[in-house]
Each structure stands twice: as C-alpha cells, then as structure tokens.
Amino acid sequence: MSKARRIVLMPFSWLYGLVIDTVDLLYRMGILNAKESPIRTVCIGNLTVGGTGKTPITEYLIDKLHAKGRNVVMLSRGYRRKTKGLQVATKYSTVEDIGDEPMQIHKRFPDVPIVVDGDRNRALDYIKQNMPDTDVVLMDDGMQHKSTKATEYVLVCDYARPIYDDMLLPAGNLREHWWARKRAKTVIINKCPLDLSEQEMADMERKMKLGKSQRLYFTGIEYQELVGSTSTTRKAVAIAGIGRPAPFFDEVRRRYGENTECIKYGDHHLFTPEELKEVENKLDLLGEESVLICTEKDAQRLSNKIGKHSVCYLRIGLRLLHGDSFDIIDL
C-alpha cells in the first residue's frame, strides 16, 4: 500500500481502533462476558488479515500430540462453508459442508474429530458432552473471538509482514492493536526463509518486545512432493487462492521454469466454471500432458481433473528453524 493511501485511510484506522478499545473495555468491565473453555483449548490465531500459515502449524501440532498419545479435536468456524450451525466432519463431508481448511486437515487426519461452528462456546460445550475423552482442542482463528476464553493462545505472524511495522485496518493489515500479542503464551514467526540467520532472528525477537513468560519460535514452510500427477511434463499453470501466494509461486517457478504462468485469486476463492474454463484453455495451449498446480488448500475446492488435465497440489510441511526438539505447546 502506498504511503499516500495510508495517510488517507489513517482516520478510519483510528475509528476502527476506537471500536476495538470500546469492546475490550466492555469485557474488562464485565458488561460483556467471556466464557472460560470447559476443556483445554489452544487457540491458533493471528492479528492480521491474510494468511499467516496457521493450517500447517495446526497439522504439526496434531502430529506431535498424537505422538504423545493425546486425544485431539479440531474446532473451526469453517470459513465459506455452505452449511449453518454446528457440523461434525464425517467420511461423507465435503468442502461445502465444513470449509476448505478443515477439509484439508480431515483428509490428512481422518481419525481426528473436526467440529465446525461459528459459535465457539456452543461447539466447546458439544465437545465436552459428546467427546469426553478429548485431551485438547485446537481452535483455529479465535484471537478475535472475545466471547470465548481459550486456555492458551498461539499467535502466528507472517515473516514478510511483521506486526511491529503494521497498522490497524484499513490503513494496514492489523485486526487488533499489535499489543494484543501479549495475550499469547507462544508466538510463531512463520513463513521464514529456511536459511534465516541467527542475527535476523535476534533482531526480530528484539522488535517483538515479548514478555519474559512468552515463547518465540521461527518456522518455515517446506514444499514437499507434488500430489496428483503421474505426468513427467515440465509444462504447468499454477493458481492460488491463499492469503500470500508469492512463496508458492516462487516454488512452482523453481520447479517448472520462470515462464510458468501463475494466477492469483483471493483467499478461500470459490472458482467459477468460467474461471476454470479459462484455465483449461491455457492448459490446452501447453499440450495434453500439461498440469494444473495449486495449493493444498485450493485442492479441496477443485476436482482432480480440469478437462483432460490433472489437478495437482504441492504438499507442505512445517520446519522449526531452531531444530525439531522444541515443543510449540506443552504436549
């Protein structure tokens, strides 16, 4: 965003900040009530609009908790799903039922119960009553859901958009004041370069100004195997409907050449038949063996074929840059 545009939008950011401050005051005064979670609930959230990579962190924690023998339930609002109210994922669930990110986790971890509901308190009561063996609930994106008080908070920040250099909406990307980071027991700076230096980590840690009891981790996204293609072609079109697709596109171009066409859509984009037909035409021009490459999240909203072309996705994983001996949360 240009400096001039930020200046124009600044008064609206001040107004937005006033609204946030008023809501916080109402909770502190007890006029609005925040309900304590009846189960240990770890909220994985952020302070900014746009993707910070919460889903890979959720998947990492599920893996770690399973290794410790913990019974995990995932809770999400199921953004852009077509259903209403509380839904529990089943083997028949679709992306329209539960949303793309829960669907991605459901496919990776079919044995993990997934509950979607915009009302987090109702969902947590449901889990407590109907899933009594639950040890921990991983709640996606609940930092701003003030009516529910999680047991602990994991704040995920994007390396490329540090919150200490950002501003409130609409002049910036922050959904809350950056001092809201103090609510988090754990802070993760995600999507870091995998060769991030110790000096830069130290500089960012100093700028974050965290409390002595807060833990800070640096993590990076690792792009792994291409799923869904048996073709050896080097011809592809890439699409992405995620918050910040630049690293994904960089990886596709690294694998398929700098001239690979990459098409950006909005986060959680619902692809129209017209858009898919346009992509199909681009693939046809490249030849029958060309493939469409998308993100794993986008793959939940696409079939495995567009015309005669395979739809593939790059599987991703999380790497702790300190090494894998650290626990992001108490397991």
Side-chain angles (χ1 to χ4, degrees):
M1 184 183 296
S2 69
K3 184 176 180 180
R5 188 179 178 191
R6 283 200 166 192
I7 292 172
V8 170
L9 294 174
M10 188 75 72
F12 299 99
S13 292
W14 294 335
L15 180 60
Y16 179 70
L18 180 61
V19 172
I20 294 171
D21 293 340
T22 301
V23 172
D24 285 344
L25 179 61
L26 292 174
Y27 274 105
R28 288 198 302 270
M29 294 175 63
I31 296 172
L32 296 176
N33 294 315
K35 184 179 178 182
E36 296 269 0
S37 173
I39 318 170
R40 184 191 177 198
T41 300
V42 178
C43 172
I44 304 163
N46 57 24
L47 297 182
T48 57
V49 294
T52 55
K54 297 190 305 298
T55 301
I57 289 169
T58 302
E59 293 172 341
Y60 176 90
L61 290 176
I62 290 173
D63 261 338
K64 291 292 186 181
L65 288 162
H66 271 187
K68 290 282 188 177
R70 305 292 186 258
N71 294 319
V72 187
V73 174
M74 181 197 170
L75 170 58
S76 172
R77 63 172 170 159
Y79 182 63
R80 299 204 75 169
R81 62 190 170 107
K82 294 184 179 180
T83 54
K84 301 293 184 182
L86 188 148
Q87 301 285 324
V88 179
T90 71
K91 63 181 180 179
Y92 304 108
S93 294
T94 66
V95 67
E96 288 81 10
D97 297 327
I98 61 174
D100 52 11
E101 289 167 344
M103 194 69 199
Q104 176 179 326
I105 291 175
H106 186 47
K107 286 184 177 179
R108 276 213 192 187
F109 304 98
D111 296 331
V112 172
I114 295 179
V115 178
V116 297
D117 195 354
D119 186 334
R120 307 302 208 285
N121 289 327
R122 176 173 62 190
L124 288 166
D125 286 340
Y126 175 89
I127 295 167
K128 178 70 174 178
Q129 294 169 15
N130 295 278
M131 304 172 182
D133 294 333
T134 301
D135 294 315
V136 59
V137 176
L138 298 180
M139 183 169 73
D140 175 57
D141 199 20
M143 289 286 290
Q144 288 76 45
H145 201 84
K146 302 291 182 62
S147 63
T148 302
K149 188 174 181 181
T151 312
E152 61 187 273
Y153 292 86
V154 175
L155 172 62
V156 185
C157 307
D158 189 334
Y159 164 84
R161 298 180 299 157
I163 59 174
Y164 48 77
D165 284 340
D166 213 337
M167 303 169 63
L168 286 174
L169 291 166
N173 298 300
L174 291 178
R175 297 191 283 182
E176 290 189 77
H177 296 290
W178 90 284
W179 57 73
R181 73 197 184 287
K182 294 292 188 179
R183 296 205 309 272
K185 182 176 181 179
T186 302
V187 178
I188 299 172
I189 299 179
N190 194 25
K191 299 186 180 180
C192 297
L194 298 182
D195 59 353
L196 186 66
S197 69
E198 293 286 341
Q199 181 60 56
E200 189 170 358
M201 289 185 199
D203 290 343
M204 296 190 78
E205 182 171 6
R206 175 177 52 81
K207 292 176 182 177
M208 286 294 293
K209 298 179 181 178
L210 299 178
K212 292 182 179 179
S213 64
Q214 291 181 287
R215 301 182 293 195
L216 177 64
Y217 296 95
F218 294 86
T219 57
I221 299 298
E222 288 188 303
Y223 290 96
Q224 300 170 347
E225 73 271 21
L226 184 68
V227 178
S229 174
T230 57
S231 172
T232 57
T233 183
R234 299 294 298 171
K235 295 181 179 180
V237 172
I239 63 174
I242 58 176
R244 190 170 69 86
F248 167 73
F249 288 148
D250 288 345
E251 179 65 17
V252 171
R253 290 191 177 106
R254 187 187 69 80
R255 296 188 187 196
Y256 283 83
E258 288 297 321
N259 293 325
T260 302
E261 183 169 2
C262 298
I263 308 170
K264 177 183 177 181
Y265 299 92
D267 199 12
H268 300 275
H269 184 72
L270 299 176
F271 300 99
T272 67
E274 293 77 17
E275 289 168 339
L276 295 179
K277 185 62 180 177
E278 184 178 347
V279 171
E280 182 183 350
N281 291 338
K282 293 177 184 293
L283 291 166
D284 286 343
L285 290 174
L286 293 176
E288 287 191 10
E289 294 300 311
S290 61
V291 296
L292 176 68
I293 302 177
C294 63
T295 69
E296 191 169 357
K297 184 168 80 171
D298 291 316
Q300 313 310 316
R301 287 174 269 114
L302 295 167
S303 64
N304 59 4
K305 285 280 187 179
I306 291 184
K308 53 182 173 289
H309 306 279
S310 296
V311 175
C312 318
Y313 65 86
L314 283 177
R315 188 178 291 278
I316 60 174
L318 190 77
R319 184 195 294 183
L320 267 68
L321 301 187
H322 292 294
D324 203 40
S325 60
F326 293 82
D327 291 333
I328 290 175
I329 64 171
D330 296 326
L331 302 174

